[in-house]
Amino acid sequence: MLQTQCDQSTKNTLTQPRLSICIVNWNTRDYLYDCLRSIQKAKHSVNFEIIVVDNASSDDSASMLQLMFPKIKKIINKDNLGYAMANNQAMRVAQGEYVLLLNPDTVVPDDVFDVLVEKMDADSSIGVISCQLRNMDGSIQRFCSGLPNIKDEIFIQAGFDRRYPNHIWAGHRSLGYFDYTLEQDVEQPPGTFLFTRKSVIQTIGGFDEQFPIFFNDVDWCKQVIEAGWRIVFTPDTYIYHHKSASIKKQFAKSLTDAFFMRKQYYLKHFGGLITRLLSWFAPFRANSMKSLLRKKSLKNQRKILLIKSSYDEHFDSFIKNLSKQFPDVSFDLLSTKTEDSERYAKYFSNCITYQGSSNWISLRHTDKTFLNQLQKSNYTGVFFPHATVDGAGYWNIVFFACALRCNILGAYGVDGGWHVFSFRKILTIRGLFVYGTAYLLLLIGYVREMIGKTEWSKKYGIRHFSHHGEPQR
């Protein structure tokens, strides 16, 4: 049974708010304070209410709300119910014609609400609208995305989303070609700021609570579009955003949760068969993750190349674990950052800076002389920590390890799970299949885009997106 404390004693019964601002907070007291103060100080003509749901914060957020903001609506949960459920709590008590789902790590300047209400009033086809997110120095954050599809997953696993960010399909998920200075339709604006109609919520409901932290906004945006509404991005106004304040407090867990919920999203919208088929494109499979690393795994391994391929916090815990568990094994470090040679010198026999034409380790972009030098080092294994549960985009490291003619490949996930396996033909075949499929889709995408620019496409109504993300006919 949900245990909540709801404070609505200050409900204004005389004036119905046009806008309900819903904020979910978990241990971001200082950010929340700045956010609420910015809303109160900013100039807005629209009448609004603020609803804050606190998810059992341990940083005195609830006390701060009671003391500093006694007039706003507050829902104080006894337990952390997750982002989706907490937003649903706020949406249920929201009275405004419009509802804004806002993250607490934001600062709101003047006239934001007025601009968006005016746009929504003028066009009933708009179901959701979002604005620019800016860093505190004023630079634009690139947060808009395309809704995940099957092609996206294949491109991500092959790393083509980074290699070809402007391609009509390969760049679809991250929208590398999106122009943040143009007002245009978008499939998935950032969940940090979602300005919607109460009628949209009444029609499709709130967030799906099987996605407690991540992908709830992605799933919800998909439902909005399927229900016939447009989702619009506008550069005519903006807010400031500190970026993932709550997530940073449990970064490793958040990454693991995000990728598991991504699989749940595919399962919901594409079915179990497609989801299982897509696992073939991933080098590691979450449902087979086990702690396989034992001393017997390294019985005949005396020289291991360790590739730094994840964020520092995870990598630091990884190498400390290895140095304690395997004191007799010689580990060399390969990193794309020159400063890592000094930082991690005490842990490794040799620290090597990657030499290639990309800023990530890839066999295709590796300098040939450099690769020959590594091959002469006779490494018997390659280990690397990966920041996802299925190894999205890590086939490049698999092929790199194959080129070094190593016996084993070991990958360590943020949840502590290991994948250790010997190189077999099936692994190479799977990797070649992934890359072959990705290149085929790449070619089809180019052809489709070229066809879309011809008079023939206009005659038959073929729709495409330009590299600026503008929908055209």
Side-chain angles (χ1 to χ4, degrees):
M1 183 175 180
L2 302 182
Q3 293 182 313
T4 65
Q5 172 190 341
C6 184
D7 177 6
Q8 299 185 28
S9 60
T10 59
K11 177 180 175 181
N12 189 339
T13 59
L14 299 177
T15 306
Q16 184 76 10
R18 286 209 73 194
L19 172 64
S20 297
I21 304 170
C22 303
I23 302 173
V24 174
N25 174 71
W26 181 72
N27 288 331
T28 56
R29 179 191 59 190
D30 294 339
Y31 286 122
L32 177 63
Y33 175 83
D34 291 342
C35 176
L36 295 174
R37 290 292 290 163
S38 73
I39 295 172
Q40 292 181 340
K41 289 182 178 181
K43 297 177 182 178
H44 307 291
S45 61
V46 62
N47 184 34
F48 63 86
E49 65 175 353
I50 302 175
I51 306 165
V52 177
V53 182
D54 184 76
N55 257 339
S57 296
S58 58
D59 63 353
D60 294 325
S61 290
S63 299
M64 182 274 293
L65 287 170
Q66 299 285 6
L67 179 64
M68 305 302 297
F69 303 96
K71 294 183 179 182
I72 69 173
K73 292 182 180 180
K74 296 175 282 291
I75 299 176
I76 310 300
N77 290 327
K78 302 298 183 182
D79 301 296
N80 187 347
L81 304 181
Y83 182 77
M85 188 178 292
N87 265 301
N88 289 344
Q89 288 178 296
M91 284 186 265
R92 281 194 291 269
V93 301
Q95 295 185 322
E97 174 187 357
Y98 298 113
V99 176
L100 170 62
L101 305 181
L102 181 68
N103 279 10
D105 56 345
T106 55
V107 175
V108 179
D110 293 343
D111 301 324
V112 174
F113 306 145
D114 296 338
V115 170
L116 299 182
V117 166
E118 182 179 350
K119 288 180 180 293
M120 295 287 265
D121 284 345
D123 191 344
S124 60
S125 71
I126 301 175
V128 177
I129 193 168
S130 190
C131 64
Q132 280 186 355
L133 302 187
R134 296 186 180 181
N135 295 307
M136 303 310 290
D137 62 4
S139 57
I140 297 174
Q141 297 177 4
R142 303 182 63 86
F143 267 118
C144 289
S145 304
L147 290 173
N149 59 44
I150 296 171
K151 295 190 297 292
D152 289 337
E153 186 69 13
I154 296 171
F155 283 125
I156 289 171
Q157 294 299 342
F160 280 24
D161 57 324
R162 292 188 300 173
R163 188 178 300 174
Y164 304 103
N166 293 326
H167 185 270
I168 184 174
W169 284 348
H172 169 258
R173 182 71 180 117
S174 59
L175 288 185
Y177 46 75
F178 193 82
D179 190 336
Y180 287 82
T181 65
L182 295 177
E183 182 165 305
Q184 56 192 295
D185 285 9
V186 66
E187 291 180 342
Q188 187 204 327
T192 302
F193 187 100
L194 294 174
F195 195 104
T196 187
R197 302 177 189 272
K198 186 65 179 290
S199 59
V200 171
I201 298 171
Q202 291 170 338
T203 300
I204 68 172
F207 288 164
D208 187 337
E209 293 174 5
Q210 73 169 304
F211 306 105
I213 307 297
F214 302 100
F215 276 81
N216 41 62
D217 56 329
V218 183
D219 173 74
W220 190 75
C221 285
K222 183 174 177 63
Q223 294 182 64
V224 170
I225 293 174
E226 290 177 344
W229 276 289
R230 295 168 56 212
I231 300 178
V232 173
F233 166 85
T234 180
D236 293 349
T237 190
Y238 63 90
I239 62 167
Y240 296 103
H241 180 219
H242 288 284
K243 288 186 180 180
S244 307
S246 293
I247 292 174
K248 291 177 182 177
K249 297 179 182 298
Q250 290 184 314
F251 195 42
K253 183 179 184 302
S254 295
L255 282 172
T256 304
D257 289 344
F259 283 90
F260 274 116
M261 290 175 202
R262 183 183 71 177
K263 289 185 177 297
Q264 287 298 111
Y265 177 90
Y266 279 104
L267 188 63
K268 175 180 179 178
H269 293 286
F270 299 102
L273 177 60
I274 294 297
T275 303
R276 285 191 292 272
L277 287 174
L278 286 176
S279 69
W280 176 264
F281 291 88
F284 319 121
R285 303 180 186 183
N287 59 5
S288 65
M289 184 173 286
K290 299 177 181 178
S291 294
L292 297 176
L293 186 65
R294 298 290 185 270
K295 287 193 175 182
K296 63 180 181 181
S297 302
L298 298 181
K299 182 177 181 181
N300 298 316
Q301 312 301 322
R302 289 294 176 263
K303 194 171 185 180
I304 303 292
L305 181 65
L306 198 62
I307 296 178
K308 185 173 183 287
S309 58
S310 69
Y311 61 95
D312 291 342
E313 180 185 348
H314 175 43
F315 186 74
D316 290 346
S317 63
F318 172 50
I319 60 177
K320 288 177 182 177
N321 176 274
L322 283 180
S323 62
K324 292 179 180 178
Q325 202 168 7
F326 308 104
D328 299 329
V329 177
S330 174
F331 290 98
D332 286 357
L333 172 67
L334 177 63
S335 174
T336 58
K337 298 179 180 179
T338 55
E339 60 269 23
D340 285 342
S341 295
E342 181 176 350
R343 178 177 180 180
Y344 297 109
K346 65 179 180 179
Y347 294 107
F348 301 101
S349 302
N350 189 24
C351 292
I352 307 165
T353 300
Y354 174 74
Q355 297 178 27
S357 58
S358 68
N359 58 0
W360 70 90
I361 294 172
S362 169
L363 177 61
R364 177 184 176 186
H365 297 96
T366 301
D367 179 82
K368 301 304 180 185
T369 303
F370 176 72
L371 181 63
N372 290 335
Q373 292 174 348
L374 290 180
Q375 290 173 335
K376 293 178 181 178
S377 298
N378 296 320
Y379 292 108
T380 56
V382 168
F383 282 1
F384 66 97
H386 62 90
T388 72
V389 296
D390 57 2
Y394 285 117
W395 279 109
N396 55 336
I397 294 183
V398 172
F399 282 123
F400 186 83
C402 287
L404 297 185
R405 308 183 188 95
C406 298
N407 299 325
I408 62 170
L409 177 70
Y412 176 76
V414 291
D415 61 351
W418 270 95
H419 298 268
V420 179
F421 46 85
S422 302
F423 286 106
R424 298 185 178 91
K425 289 183 179 180
I426 189 65
L427 179 66
T428 305
I429 292 172
R430 281 178 56 212
L432 291 174
F433 178 78
V434 171
Y435 270 70
T437 305
Y439 275 116
L440 178 61
L441 290 173
L442 203 69
L443 177 61
I444 295 173
Y446 279 128
V447 172
R448 181 181 184 274
E449 188 171 26
M450 293 304 297
I451 292 176
K453 294 177 180 178
T454 65
E455 290 299 323
W456 185 86
S457 71
K458 295 178 182 178
K459 179 179 178 180
Y460 292 98
I462 295 178
R463 184 179 178 87
H464 82 289
F465 284 81
S466 74
H467 285 308
H468 293 297
E470 302 168 275
Q472 301 178 351
R473 285 242 181 222

